[in-house]
Amino acid sequence: MSDLETFRQTTRAWLEANCPAEMRLPIRSEEDLVWGGRRAVYKEPAQKLWLDRMVAKGWTAPDWPERYGGGGLSPEETKILRNEMGRLGCRSPLSSFGLSTLGPTLLKYGTEEQKQEHLPKLLRGEILWCQGYSEPGAGSDLASLSTRAEDKGDHFLVSGQKIWTSDADKADWIFCLVRTDTSSKHSGISFLLFDMETPGVLTKPIKLISGASPFCETFFDNVKVPKKNLVGALNKGWDVAKYLLGHERESISGFGSGSGQLELGEMAKRTTGTEPDGRLDDPILRARVALFEVRAQAFSAVSERFVDELKHERAHPAQASVIKYFGTELNKQRHELMMDAGGSDALEWESERSRGGANVRAWLRTKANSIEGGTSEVQLNIIAKRILELPGV
Amino acid sequence: MLADTVRPFLAEQASVSHMRALRDADDRTGFSPELWKRFAELGLTGVLMDEVDGGLGLGHVEAGIVLEEIGRNLTPSPFLETAVGAVTTLKGGSATQRQAWLPRVLAGEAVGALAVDETARHRPERIGLHAERVGNGFRLLGEKRFVTYGHVANFLIVAARTAGSEHEPLGITLFLVESNVANLTAEADRLADASLAARVKFGGVQVSRDAVIGEIDLGFGILTATLSALRAGVSAELVGVGSHALAMTVGYLKQRKQFGRLIGSFQALQHRAAHLYAEMEVARAAVLKAQQLLDGKDERADQAVMVAKAMSGMASALAVQEGIQMHGGIGMTDEYDIGLYMKRQRVLAELFGDADYHANFLAKLAGY
């Protein structure tokens, strides 16, 4: 038997023995996700148990080096672990934005001290991270940001404002882009890490059309950040930011496409009814759903390939834009179809039956998918310029 | 590797001008037998054939590499029908059938074609061509259409009904029919893309029991496997056609000036080109996934093939249509190649089921 086959079998056996039954049920709502952090909330004990067991194996970050608490698995082994978890329906033990974005970035750009300090806490879910990128005047044109960090010898003094900071009101630490040189747009940006409890940090939630929101406005007023928290070289934060964005785009594109959602066709059958032969009795909707499913399955093939290429460092950096663009547009289409398929049921905003309007709120939420992390138009610009090499104006 | 051989070979020996030359000479064979011999010399005719049969023993990923290049160059070749379709069917054939045909296929001396369609749209689950038992053999009566290379094939693989009614999978039997038998006629018509497809009439064709491929009444399984191989192959060819149309279009955007600027600098066109690129990338990945699952004999393979055929059909359609539009007037001329890509895409999109057929089938599988 090959080593990988042995690994598959031992992994399967371990998951069967260690993943609690409750953690194999489909995810129904946000509460079923574990975000960790200093103020971690667990809906049920099984969540904590499952997280602890996976942390002990290093499998919340299976492909990170063991010296930082990771699993030390090869890309092939990581894929097997993911497949086996999928096969058994195991939930992800930790839903951490930092795990998929900041982690790989620190592994590439962080100092040994930064890796030692942050990576183990990140993969144990002890620290919840948020991202300070966008500003009121610098959304998709991110590099025009103006939050300042003044060099004060052993520390920086940070002042300015960020916006659309997801979960800033719950996060423990922030990774933040700041301007350290005003004479150059791209080469005057630095990448800083700091504790959200540092004096001078203030957050304010932003309410959205969905009636709720993870987003905040975040204000910095003379926040003192030690120099050792600079990631990468001074004024070279743009490279770090771009690397991280590549990972972020890939993770955003997969929003909501996953487990626990009623399949579209099934949902439509319940609300619309069926023909005597079992087909959905709205042939136009049936066709739209079927053609959508073709695209969704094709997209999962391209995402899978992209993740493989990233792991083997073969991916064109701008390829992330293809995934981000296609994935977010697809996700919006999925939710449009879910609204059509759900009929009047899908419009209920408060009822228990609708789990507090889960569908309609999720539909509204997806409208941000093609805005956040760089709009679809920005992704198309990137593809046009960096992959197709079309001329500038 | 394989791509390093195939790419220069086809680009040098069988570029679009090769296809134009055959078309303009009103060639009725539909391909160049000399070129087909070269395919054999390179071992390509045996890409999917087992090594014990003298083949390369490779898989659908490799067959796809050949087909993508065929698509890129619009190369007229019976490669898909013979080296992919017939070879896959013969994997389920008898030792006698294999010994009779595989060496000739390998040598580039025989062309095989699949005769399945009976209606204008692909409906392989509806087989009506009648195979009546006569003595120790069968008598075939009926008509098949859209048999690509059917008029020059040395042997045909024919899906016929030996039992049951038209819509039942049980009762379909596959026959290996030599094309020189009595009461068989194949009339070729040129299609929009200048390729030739035949209507094959079986006016009481007598075949022996030995002509049955696999088991009587149980041909649907081998037919499905053959169709999956062919659909994966067509999908790869569509990726080649679409990729080349995209490349031509992007190239044109970089050199054509209007209003004093390169048109490729206009954001409206950049966004459309970038969108098209994304669609083609997704299609390419879906095709690769299907080929890998077929090679791994994975139970999800047939479904992935349908996704691949539908997605590559949709993405390549966009590629050729955007190609014509962005080229403007020159794109409408026969002299310029982009139109040939549009016509070829149309034929391939129809072959072995269009996007609607496959989406509908997937919906049925999913139960809605």
Side-chain angles (χ1 to χ4, degrees), chain B residues 186-241:
Chain B
E187 271 175 46
D189 192 22
R190 206 177 277 290
L191 304 182
D193 66 339
S195 72
L196 292 148
R199 285 177 190 247
V200 184
K201 290 195 177 112
F202 297 81
V205 171
Q206 300 277 356
V207 292
S208 74
R209 170 69 182 77
D210 295 343
V212 173
I213 302 173
E215 290 180 55
I216 296 168
D217 294 346
L218 300 178
F220 195 70
I222 305 176
L223 178 63
T224 305
T226 303
L227 285 172
S228 277
L230 286 164
R231 287 165 181 157
V234 183
S235 304
E237 192 170 342
L238 280 167
V239 167
V241 169

Side-chain angles (χ1 to χ4, degrees), chain A residues 223-245:
Chain A
V223 179
K224 206 169 148 182
V225 179
K227 277 261 176 84
K228 66 169 180 143
N229 290 0
L230 174 70
V231 178
L234 187 71
N235 295 329
K236 295 282 176 216
W238 188 242
D239 295 335
V240 185
K242 275 195 302 187
Y243 183 78
L244 190 140
L245 274 176

Side-chain angles (χ1 to χ4, degrees), chain A residues 108-323:
Chain A
K108 187 170 171 75
Y109 289 98
T111 62
E112 187 55 31
E113 189 191 348
Q114 287 166 346
K115 291 179 196 173
Q116 294 284 1
E117 182 183 351
H118 298 295
L119 293 178
K121 290 181 194 164
L122 189 49
L123 65 81
R124 290 199 297 259
E126 291 169 6
I127 293 293
L128 183 64
W129 286 84
C130 64
Q131 177 189 52
Y133 272 29
S134 296
E135 298 187 4
S140 287
D141 182 14
L142 182 59
S144 63
L145 62 90
S146 61
T147 291
R148 275 179 313 120
E150 259 181 278
D151 193 337
K152 294 285 182 187
D154 65 335
H155 67 273
F156 294 103
L157 214 49
V158 178
S159 292
Q161 185 195 343
K162 295 286 173 182
I163 196 163
W164 311 121
T165 334
S166 303
D167 294 315
D169 51 344
K170 299 180 196 72
D172 305 308
W173 276 64
I174 187 167
F175 51 91
C176 196
L177 292 180
V178 294
R179 182 152 301 286
T180 37
D181 182 353
T182 50
S183 65
S184 162
K185 187 174 171 183
H186 288 89
S187 317
I189 292 171
S190 299
F191 192 100
L192 287 183
L193 312 174
F194 55 91
D195 195 321
M196 292 292 278
E197 284 179 7
T198 319
V201 179
L202 178 77
T203 64
K204 249 168 68 179
I206 305 169
K207 191 171 172 179
L208 294 186
I209 50 177
S210 55
S213 151
F215 296 120
C216 294
E217 288 181 283
T218 307
F219 303 89
F220 308 125
D221 179 19
N222 287 317
V223 179
K224 206 169 148 182
V225 179
K227 277 261 176 84
K228 66 169 180 143
N229 290 0
L230 174 70
V231 178
L234 187 71
N235 295 329
K236 295 282 176 216
W238 188 242
D239 295 335
V240 185
K242 275 195 302 187
Y243 183 78
L244 190 140
L245 274 176
H247 287 269
E248 183 196 24
R249 282 173 184 160
E250 189 249 314
S251 68
I252 287 180
S253 68
F255 267 166
S257 54
S259 54
Q261 285 175 344
L262 203 53
E263 292 298 327
L264 276 170
E266 205 47 45
M267 182 177 184
K269 268 165 70 175
R270 285 192 197 182
T271 49
T272 313
T274 51
E275 305 269 16
D277 67 357
R279 287 192 211 186
L280 186 58
D281 93 348
D282 179 340
I284 310 267
L285 178 62
R286 180 177 180 276
R288 287 165 60 216
V289 169
L291 287 167
F292 170 82
E293 290 293 350
V294 165
R295 294 171 65 76
Q297 289 189 43
F299 178 69
S300 88
V302 84
S303 321
E304 209 176 289
R305 198 186 66 175
F306 180 65
V307 171
D308 272 357
E309 286 177 349
L310 267 187
K311 293 209 172 101
H312 293 95
E313 303 208 329
R314 279 199 311 255
H316 186 298
Q319 204 67 15
S321 293
V322 172
I323 305 290

Side-chain angles (χ1 to χ4, degrees), chain B residues 125-146:
Chain B
E125 49 281 290
R126 262 187 241 160
I127 300 291
L129 187 131
H130 192 56
E132 183 187 22
R133 283 172 204 253
V134 178
N136 195 29
F138 295 84
R139 190 166 165 271
L140 307 182
L141 204 64
E143 187 179 326
K144 294 285 184 180
R145 56 209 285 184
F146 203 24

Side-chain angles (χ1 to χ4, degrees), chain A residues 265-266 269 278-280 286 289-291 293-295 297-299 301-302 304-305 319 322 325-326 377 380-381 383-385 387-393, chain B residues 250 253-254 261-262 264-265 267 270-271 273-275 277-279 281-282 284-286 288-289 303 307 310-311 314 355-356 359-360 362-364 367-368:
Chain A
E266 205 47 45
K269 268 165 70 175
R279 287 192 211 186
L280 186 58
R286 180 177 180 276
V289 169
L291 287 167
E293 290 293 350
V294 165
R295 294 171 65 76
Q297 289 189 43
F299 178 69
V302 84
E304 209 176 289
R305 198 186 66 175
Q319 204 67 15
V322 172
Y325 168 65
F326 200 100
E377 289 71 21
L380 291 173
N381 285 344
I383 297 166
K385 294 200 168 63
I387 298 180
L388 302 178
E389 297 176 336
L390 288 170
V393 178
Chain B
V250 170
L253 294 179
K254 288 177 189 177
R261 282 165 61 183
L262 288 171
S265 68
Q267 197 178 48
Q270 288 189 348
H271 282 190
H275 168 73
Y277 174 81
E279 294 279 329
E281 278 297 288
V282 173
R284 177 183 293 283
L288 184 63
K289 177 91 190 172
Q303 197 172 332
V307 170
M311 187 67 208
M314 293 191 284
D356 294 348
N360 179 41
L362 290 167
K364 276 196 232 171
Y368 62 92

Side-chain angles (χ1 to χ4, degrees), chain B residues 6 8 25 35 46 61 68 76 78 87-88 96 118 127 153 169 187 197 245 262 278 288 305 311 317 319 346 364:
Chain B
V6 174
L35 183 73
V61 172
E68 185 173 334
V87 166
T88 302
T96 317
E118 296 178 12
I127 300 291
E187 271 175 46
L262 288 171
L288 184 63
V305 166
M311 187 67 208
R346 227 326 145 185
K364 276 196 232 171

